Amino acid sequence: DVKVTQSSRYLVKRTGEKVFLECVQDMDHENMFWYRQDPGLGLRLIYFSYDVKMKEKGDIPEGYSVSREKKERFSLILESASTNQTSMYLCASIATSNTGELFFGEGSRLTVL
Amino acid sequence: AQSVTQPDIHITVSEGASLELRCNYSYGATPYLFWYVQSPGQGLQLLLKYFSGDTLVQGIKGFEAEFKRSQSSFNLRKPSVHWSDAAEYFCAVDLNAGGTSYGKLTFGQGTILTVHP
């Protein structure tokens, strides 16, 4: 069974802290994504990666960075967390040869106080 | 601007009733179209997708969707809703259909479905 695992389901951090959200997929997918989900706004793309060490900005990259040192792992980094980054973060992956079926993790709910 | 719109934020239906969730897109060409479902506490799961051909597509869990080019719509339907269908539903498009998109999707705002017994 395909699996996208987000290491932290719930996090509570303070303003200004550095936050790491980790995502691992076991399907050998080339492409990985970080989305942010907010009520009434749907999912918005923060960053995606189409290969190791390759990344591209999505629609809302401000305040975020990413790291992809290994094919199976894609990390989202909040250098200095702010309260407006309180949200649900979803990681997803897809093989380049497969159009459409993104595989999602269960999400990481981040609260910044 | 290119966009995906789900006009209904929240829909409530009775168990056994029919369901239609609306989705409209704003884009010059026909994109690839998708419906995903998110059950409480879960990630998103693909229900169905449309690339080309027959405009009525069948998906999992008894759902279907119809693509109407003239209306730029891709509405999701189910003839008889079950209590387990209560979830949030997202319409999504791949705006680079036929090109290299890396699977990057643009999502609508979501529709929350509540099912009454």
Side-chain angles (χ1 to χ4, degrees):
Chain A
D1 224 10
V2 298
K3 193 86 173 166
V4 177
T5 303
Q6 295 182 231
S7 55
S8 303
R9 292 295 303 274
Y10 302 94
L11 303 94
V12 179
K13 298 292 182 181
R14 298 213 171 268
T15 302
E17 281 191 80
K18 190 169 186 176
V19 181
F20 291 88
L21 300 180
E22 303 286 339
C23 175
V24 177
Q25 50 96 1
D26 64 359
M27 298 162 284
D28 203 36
H29 285 169
E30 296 86 359
N31 309 313
M32 297 186 73
F33 305 81
W34 276 106
Y35 284 91
R36 171 175 172 162
Q37 181 180 9
D38 298 289
L41 297 178
L43 278 71
R44 294 177 292 167
L45 182 64
I46 304 171
Y47 266 97
F48 72 100
S49 168
Y50 52 91
D51 202 350
V52 175
K53 297 190 185 295
M54 306 302 290
K55 61 186 179 184
E56 285 200 18
K57 294 180 180 179
D59 300 316
I60 53 165
E62 296 78 18
Y64 304 94
S65 62
V66 291
S67 172
R68 190 149 179 222
E69 297 296 320
K70 294 185 177 182
K71 190 175 185 180
E72 68 271 17
R73 187 180 298 271
F74 191 36
S75 302
L76 180 69
I77 304 157
L78 289 66
E79 293 288 343
S80 178
S82 64
T83 55
N84 63 12
Q85 293 179 308
T86 292
S87 187
M88 171 69 85
Y89 292 89
L90 292 171
C91 175
S93 72
I94 189 172
T96 297
S97 58
N98 181 351
T99 303
E101 184 160 10
L102 286 174
F103 291 90
F104 281 87
E106 293 184 327
S108 298
R109 183 166 295 282
L110 172 67
T111 300
V112 183
L113 303 176
Chain B
Q2 300 161 353
S3 66
V4 181
T5 302
Q6 294 178 244
D8 305 305
I9 297 173
H10 197 164
I11 284 183
T12 300
V13 300
S14 298
E15 192 168 15
S18 63
L19 172 69
E20 183 169 28
L21 303 182
R22 296 182 291 164
C23 174
N24 294 93
Y25 64 90
S26 171
Y27 184 58
T30 298
Y32 292 160
L33 298 156
F34 310 87
W35 276 98
Y36 281 80
V37 60
Q38 184 181 34
S39 298
Q42 303 294 315
L44 277 72
Q45 180 185 20
L46 180 67
L47 280 177
L48 46 78
K49 59 187 177 184
Y50 173 78
F51 292 167
S52 65
D54 191 348
T55 56
L56 185 64
V57 293
Q58 302 297 320
I60 62 172
K61 303 177 188 273
F63 285 91
E64 66 179 25
E66 185 172 14
F67 168 60
K68 293 185 177 180
R69 185 187 307 274
S70 60
Q71 299 176 16
S72 296
S73 69
F74 188 56
N75 294 349
L76 182 71
R77 302 195 295 245
K78 187 169 185 178
S80 178
V81 170
H82 188 263
W83 64 266
S84 61
D85 294 323
E88 189 163 13
Y89 293 80
F90 292 93
C91 180
V93 303
D94 182 340
L95 297 174
N96 197 28
T100 303
S101 69
Y102 305 110
K104 188 172 69 168
L105 301 186
T106 299
F107 287 83
Q109 301 91 329
T111 298
I112 297 171
L113 174 66
T114 298
V115 181
H116 281 166

